[in-house]
């Protein structure tokens, strides 16, 4: 059966173009894994989507980061594309931030084509209270 993101992912953020769903797990005490999907929820064609997780200390300084492209180069409307990131942690992390970026190809005006790069950040993405996907009661 097709994957229904809210049923399997704990977190989400979105823009008018995409929704990003993910889970955070700790396979061992010194690592963090973020696995998820980007779904094209807008009307344009999403291209070159990438995700990055960044560990940040209490002074808002970057400790470590890892970045990856999603599996599909082009994501059509309602299509999903998976990603997986693994980050080695050191214990000084105050939070984990998620950056996601993509380009949207859409028609504008009288047959014109526009490709606009977009970059967004979600803070504290592995929090037990932030960016949670509401579950049915």
């Amino acid at each position: 059966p097709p994957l229904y993101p809210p049923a399997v992912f704990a977190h989400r953020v979105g823009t008018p173009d995409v929704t990003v769903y993910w889970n955070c797990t700790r396979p061992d005490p010194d690592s963090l894994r973020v696995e998820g999907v980007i779904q094209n929820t807008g009307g344009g064609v999403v291209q070159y989507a990438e995700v990055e997780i960044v560990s940040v200390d209490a002074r808002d300084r970057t400790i470590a980061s890892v970045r990856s492209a999603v599996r599909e180069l082009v994501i059509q409307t309602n299509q999903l594309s998976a990603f997986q990131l693994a980050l080695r942690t050191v214990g000084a992390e105050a939070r984990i931030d998620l950056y996601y970026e993509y380009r949207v190809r859409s028609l504008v005006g009288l047959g014109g084509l526009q490709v606009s790069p977009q970059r967004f950040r979600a803070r504290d993405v592995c929090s037990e209270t932030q960016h949670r996907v509401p579950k049915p009661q």
Side-chain angles (χ1 to χ4, degrees), residues 1 3 10 14 22-23 28 38 44 47 51 58 70 75-77 91 104 111 113 117 120-121 128 136:
L3 178 71
W22 70 92
N23 288 325
D28 62 65
I38 292 181
Q47 300 174 310
V51 290
V70 298
I75 308 170
Q76 302 293 336
T77 302
V104 177
L113 189 62
F120 300 93
R121 177 179 71 169
E128 290 300 315

Side-chain angles (χ1 to χ4, degrees), residues 93-108:
E93 295 83 10
R95 70 175 193 271
I96 303 295
D97 293 345
L98 172 80
Y99 291 84
Y100 56 105
E101 63 184 76
Y102 56 88
R103 293 181 183 270
V104 177
R105 189 177 71 215
S106 57
L107 293 175
V108 292

Side-chain angles (χ1 to χ4, degrees), residues 54-76:
V54 178
S55 62
V56 180
D57 69 11
R59 297 168 122 178
D60 238 11
R61 291 184 299 190
T62 297
I63 299 171
S65 67
V66 63
R67 178 184 190 105
S68 178
V70 298
R71 290 187 184 149
E72 280 71 35
L73 186 60
V74 175
I75 308 170
Q76 302 293 336

Side-chain angles (χ1 to χ4, degrees), residues 8-132:
V8 295
F9 295 109
H11 303 277
R12 79 166 176 216
V13 292
T15 68
D17 302 309
V18 302
T19 302
V20 183
Y21 296 92
W22 70 92
N23 288 325
C24 297
T25 57
R26 289 206 171 263
D28 62 65
D30 297 332
S31 67
L32 173 71
R33 180 171 297 205
V34 177
E35 297 176 277
V37 294
I38 292 181
Q39 181 179 22
N40 178 346
T41 51
V45 176
V46 173
Q47 300 174 310
Y48 311 113
E50 294 185 353
V51 290
E52 178 180 19
I53 54 173
V54 178
S55 62
V56 180
D57 69 11
R59 297 168 122 178
D60 238 11
R61 291 184 299 190
T62 297
I63 299 171
S65 67
V66 63
R67 178 184 190 105
S68 178
V70 298
R71 290 187 184 149
E72 280 71 35
L73 186 60
V74 175
I75 308 170
Q76 302 293 336
T77 302
N78 293 322
Q79 183 182 3
L80 303 168
S81 187
F83 64 87
Q84 182 179 59
L85 300 165
L87 183 70
R88 185 64 60 197
T89 57
V90 297
E93 295 83 10
R95 70 175 193 271
I96 303 295
D97 293 345
L98 172 80
Y99 291 84
Y100 56 105
E101 63 184 76
Y102 56 88
R103 293 181 183 270
V104 177
R105 189 177 71 215
S106 57
L107 293 175
V108 292
L110 298 171
L113 189 62
Q114 177 180 1
V115 178
S116 56
Q118 307 287 325
R119 181 171 169 89
F120 300 93
R121 177 179 71 169
R123 293 171 54 103
D124 204 10
V125 296
C126 294
S127 164
E128 290 300 315
T129 58
Q130 304 255 1
H131 315 293
R132 300 300 288 193

